[in-house]
Amino acid sequence: MQRWLDQLGAVRGRSPKTVEAYRHDVAGYLGFLNGHRGGPVGKAGLGEVTTSEMRSWIASLRGDDLSARSAARALSAVRSFHRWLAEAEGIDATAVIATRSPKIKASLPRPLAPDAAKALIAEAGQTPTDWIAARDMAVLTLLYACGLRISEALSLRQSDAPLPDMLRITGKGGKERLVPVLPVAREAVEQYRALHPHAPNAESPLFLGVRGGALNASTVQKTVANLRARLGLPATATPHALRHSFATHLLEAGGDLRAIQTLLGHASLSSTQVYTALDQARLMDVYDAARPKRR
């Protein structure tokens, strides 16, 4: 198992978090097989896994209230493990690879309205002389103005500032992309840098916590939860919703789908096309509301 995990990171470029998630999923699967068969499965036993056992394992995941999406991710990890076993050890993986994934109900992104996105960012910076407020405003501005994931914003270093016109971002799977930086985002970051009391070196994180260490994503999520409560925004107003808002508002303004795909760093266009469905749904709502027969 460790050999498989090592090649996931070294050869296939999976992120440490993805590797750890795969470790967790496959360990749970192996534990299920041990319990199901009443003892350690062993290498040879992995080549004897049946379709019935796979269905029982997936049913056990769903019985533990795991979502269909999470169960599908666990199955993807197990398939990857068995494919590697087939290549490296010659162990039969037919039943595992043939197992169908749980059906996942398609869900549309939930962006904020333009006014709500702006209000959320403005509320974060209500105390202009407070470096924490300036930091929070700078982070949220980057998420909305550049379409960054929260992990991407928090991975920036002090050496990245002042932010250039085009920012090189390393996203999921180590994939790099260039993202234009709006003046408002650059100014928000500079205001924060001018106020924070710490003296970090060039390789320190750009966004710092209260004690001078790296800012944690959970801190940003808690901050946004407090902001949306003050503004009366729904629970869907999260840091990631600002990335959805970036893409949706670009598309509504006539942005090219391929360009938006590049800006978001999506490997597949299908990932970006969900925003077109969202736009069509909004248009249908407007149409239905305007139809005389509807009234």
Side-chain angles (χ1 to χ4, degrees), residues 108-131:
L108 294 177
R110 296 185 178 182
L112 301 172
D115 289 345
K118 293 175 184 176
L120 190 71
I121 294 170
E123 186 71 17
Q126 278 296 308
T127 312
T129 57
D130 180 1
W131 77 272

Side-chain angles (χ1 to χ4, degrees), residues 7-276:
Q7 68 89 33
L8 275 181
V11 179
R12 301 194 179 183
R14 298 288 193 269
S15 71
K17 287 186 177 180
T18 299
V19 171
E20 185 54 38
Y22 273 33
R23 180 198 299 276
H24 176 270
D25 290 334
V26 173
Y29 160 75
L30 295 175
F32 168 83
L33 285 181
N34 288 344
H36 188 73
R37 295 184 180 181
V41 175
K43 189 187 296 185
L46 289 173
E48 300 168 353
V49 174
T50 65
T51 301
S52 175
E53 286 177 319
M54 293 299 296
R55 288 174 181 165
S56 296
W57 169 62
I58 293 175
S60 74
L61 295 179
R62 303 291 280 134
D64 291 337
D65 291 330
L66 203 67
S67 69
R69 188 175 298 277
S70 295
R73 188 203 68 187
L75 177 58
S76 177
V78 169
R79 281 176 177 159
S80 174
F81 178 52
H82 273 270
R83 284 194 187 98
W84 177 84
L85 283 173
E87 294 171 4
E89 303 291 340
I91 294 174
D92 183 34
T94 304
V96 176
I97 293 173
T99 302
R100 292 184 179 181
S101 293
K103 289 185 178 180
I104 300 173
K105 185 179 179 180
S107 59
L108 294 177
R110 296 185 178 182
L112 301 172
D115 289 345
K118 293 175 184 176
L120 190 71
I121 294 170
E123 186 71 17
Q126 278 296 308
T127 312
T129 57
D130 180 1
W131 77 272
I132 297 291
R135 178 202 66 192
D136 295 340
M137 185 175 182
V139 172
L140 299 186
T141 301
L142 273 177
L143 300 183
Y144 181 49
C146 300
L148 301 186
R149 300 178 178 92
I150 188 170
S151 60
E152 293 169 348
L154 299 186
S155 69
L156 294 174
R157 321 305 295 179
Q158 293 288 334
S159 57
D160 292 315
L163 299 183
D165 292 338
M166 297 292 287
L167 189 60
R168 187 176 296 277
I169 296 293
T170 302
K172 287 185 177 180
K175 185 179 179 183
E176 288 191 348
R177 69 185 190 276
L178 290 173
V179 178
V181 178
L182 297 178
V184 66
R186 187 181 301 107
E187 291 163 8
V189 171
E190 287 308 297
Q191 181 180 358
Y192 149 68
R193 290 179 70 222
L195 290 173
H196 78 66
H198 304 290
N201 58 50
E203 291 309 309
S204 297
L206 175 58
F207 295 110
L208 304 172
V210 174
R211 298 180 181 178
L215 177 62
N216 193 285
S218 62
T219 301
V220 180
Q221 290 162 347
K222 289 177 183 176
T223 297
V224 171
N226 291 332
L227 293 173
R228 71 174 179 245
R230 297 209 298 260
L231 294 170
L233 296 176
T236 53
T238 62
H240 199 68
L242 289 172
R243 174 173 157 90
H244 290 321
S245 304
F246 163 83
T248 303
H249 300 164
L250 271 181
L251 189 64
E252 289 176 350
D256 176 75
L257 194 63
R258 283 287 184 186
I260 295 172
Q261 176 192 0
T262 301
L263 292 171
L264 291 174
H266 286 162
S268 170
L269 185 62
S270 62
S271 299
T272 315
Q273 283 175 327
V274 295
Y275 296 105
T276 63

